[in-house]
Amino acid sequence: MASQRAMAVVGAGHAGGRAALQLRAQGWTGPIVVFGEEPDLPYERPALSKGLLTGEQSADQLMLAQAEGYAGQGITVRLGTAVTRIDTAARQVHTAAGEALDYEALLLATGGRARRLAIPGADQAGVQALRTLADARALQARLQPGQRLLIVGGGFIGLEVAASARARGCEVTLLEGGVRLMGRAVPAPIAERVAALHRAHGVDLRLRAAPESIAALNGRLHVRLLDGDLIVVDTVVAGIGIEPGVQLAREAGLRVGHGVCVDRHLRTSDPHVFAAGDVAECPSVLSGLPLRQETWQNAERQAAVAAANMLGGQTVYDTLPWFWSDQYDHTLQVAGEPALAATEVQRTLGEGAVLHFYLDSDGRVVGASGYGPARDVTKELKLARALVERLARPQAAALQDPNVKLKSLLTA
């Protein structure tokens, strides 16, 4: 490889691809090399469980740039290439093919791998997770009218896949081991509304239910549940989260917690190594506690901040958490950190739409969540998010009263 030190990016997902483009946009004129184990160019993941499965979006629409776009900017993208070792003392990355690249600065954007079901028969054909474009292509091919689908996991991925599969005419059963959907990610009243929506669309939704084993018989998958029930399906999808890709960082001697530990500048315990995206565990803007986020916004914004600081900047990552989930014609959003709340206030908007505001002990809005038909709630969710971003201190009674416009609370 070239003798001039390069900006190296390990991980060719959303954060890695965006960071490479940002490095060039922010003025780096030397080599940029991106290493990715997948065969596809960097892409955005949200549509994998939605538009790509339903056929409303193509794989090309998910790409951050096409091959000629990277080549035209002098960015080398090494697809299907695994980095096996990082030598922080020599500032080199080593690949499985025995190559070594000298780096000026290194970004770890290694994301994570989908957790697999740890039960007998989970290695059968037709049992899969949904994390990569290859996973989505394989699942889309199976989502044909009349096909029977079992989803394990009542989080955002599982619920989005359920909505997409129903749109494709599949019969869907969804198992959630907990007492409600989406765990602690959203308040219980919203989880109940989401459950009702899925049941209204024909999903066989079972709480406190989990698979015990899977067996292939006569071209179908026979799934035995812990309660003894048997479900016969064509496809099983595990939506049970990811395992952050921290192995390279740990073996390189970098500090690792629930992800790769970084400071507010996204710098790891080595001054020449940064981390961004799903794998980065960054101090919370609000509490200072370590926080790892698996969201589109996090990948997009952290990529830009990491690029700036790899170039010698001191940009602070100060973006508050925010994520969304679209299911059928409804949308769900969460902004800020509801877990920091001392008080919760609910605003009912009508037509099944609701907002929840979370206030800390000083009366600041540290979080907001909302749910409802997209046409009715999108504008209100945007205003609620703005209240969180400004750490506004409105009166709880005003937040609760739908006759008090949120916009007036922003300008107060």
Side-chain angles (χ1 to χ4, degrees):
M1 292 186 179
S3 59
Q4 182 183 0
R5 288 189 180 272
M7 289 295 179
V9 179
V10 180
H14 181 178
R18 183 64 73 203
L21 294 167
Q22 280 290 314
L23 282 165
R24 191 63 83 210
Q26 294 186 36
W28 176 253
T29 59
I32 301 173
V33 183
V34 182
F35 298 93
E37 295 187 24
E38 292 185 46
D40 296 293
L41 289 167
Y43 56 88
E44 298 177 343
R45 296 187 189 274
L48 295 184
S49 55
K50 301 186 278 286
L52 196 71
L53 290 187
T54 61
E56 295 171 300
Q57 289 178 272
S58 68
D60 278 350
Q61 291 175 298
L62 278 57
M63 300 297 170
L64 300 184
Q66 298 301 318
E68 56 271 22
Y70 292 103
Q73 297 189 59
I75 299 171
T76 301
V77 184
R78 300 284 305 279
L79 299 176
T81 302
V83 170
T84 56
R85 184 167 66 91
I86 301 168
D87 184 338
T88 56
R91 282 160 59 188
Q92 288 184 329
V93 292
H94 295 258
T95 72
E99 301 166 301
L101 174 72
D102 297 325
Y103 63 80
E104 181 69 26
L106 168 66
L107 177 66
L108 292 173
T110 47
R113 298 184 183 277
R115 290 193 174 95
R116 304 285 170 167
L117 291 172
I119 58 175
D123 57 350
Q124 303 276 358
V127 181
Q128 69 163 92
L130 179 59
R131 173 67 180 172
T132 67
L133 190 50
D135 292 336
R137 288 173 174 137
L139 181 57
Q140 184 193 44
R142 303 180 73 90
L143 297 187
Q144 303 299 326
Q147 290 290 293
R148 299 177 183 177
L149 178 70
L150 174 67
I151 300 168
V152 182
F156 295 104
I157 291 294
L159 293 167
E160 289 169 3
V161 171
S164 297
R166 288 298 296 145
R168 293 288 293 265
C170 301
E171 298 179 25
V172 178
T173 299
L174 188 146
L175 308 179
E176 166 54 46
V179 297
R180 67 178 181 89
L181 299 176
M182 296 175 287
R184 291 173 293 179
V186 302
I190 288 182
E192 292 169 3
R193 290 170 186 255
V194 173
L197 176 70
H198 280 271
R199 286 179 170 131
H201 279 82
V203 175
D204 179 6
L205 176 59
R206 308 188 189 189
L207 302 176
R208 299 186 181 88
E212 181 180 57
S213 63
I214 304 172
L217 184 63
N218 299 325
R220 292 283 179 87
L221 295 171
H222 292 238
V223 183
R224 181 71 63 182
L225 305 190
L226 288 175
D227 64 5
D229 200 3
L230 180 68
I231 301 175
V232 180
V233 297
D234 301 291
T235 303
V236 175
V237 176
I240 52 177
I242 71 167
E243 297 174 356
V246 300
Q247 182 176 348
L248 271 176
R250 180 179 286 118
E251 292 175 351
L254 302 176
R255 193 159 63 89
V256 170
H258 293 294
V260 179
C261 300
V262 297
D263 62 16
R264 295 184 187 279
H265 306 287
L266 305 183
R267 186 178 286 106
T268 70
S269 52
D270 182 283
H272 298 287
V273 182
F274 298 77
D278 292 357
V279 78
E281 187 176 49
C282 182
S284 159
V285 175
L286 294 174
S287 70
L289 298 173
L291 181 66
R292 190 177 64 80
Q293 303 175 56
E294 300 170 18
T295 69
W296 178 92
Q297 177 187 252
N298 189 59
E300 184 76 9
R301 180 60 186 150
Q302 283 194 349
V305 171
N309 295 336
M310 289 169 75
L311 296 173
Q314 292 297 320
T315 303
V316 171
Y317 181 69
D318 58 2
T319 303
L320 290 173
W322 171 65
F323 64 88
W324 78 92
S325 177
D326 296 327
Q327 300 165 33
Y328 308 105
D329 59 345
H330 283 53
T331 189
L332 184 159
Q333 294 185 27
V334 179
E337 294 184 64
L340 302 178
T343 305
E344 180 180 337
V345 176
Q346 178 175 318
R347 169 183 285 229
T348 302
L349 302 176
E351 299 298 327
V354 63
L355 297 178
H356 288 254
F357 293 94
Y358 308 91
L359 312 181
D360 68 7
S361 56
D362 293 327
R364 300 182 305 170
V365 182
V366 293
S369 60
Y371 171 76
R375 67 180 185 276
D376 299 322
V377 76
T378 299
K379 181 179 177 181
E380 296 298 299
L381 283 168
K382 185 176 181 179
L383 294 169
R385 180 183 169 195
L387 286 169
V388 178
E389 290 172 341
R390 298 186 189 185
L391 294 176
R393 286 185 170 88
Q395 293 295 317
L399 287 174
Q400 187 175 25
D401 187 352
N403 294 314
V404 177
K405 295 190 177 299
L406 293 180
K407 190 172 183 178
S408 70
L409 303 180
L410 275 173
T411 56

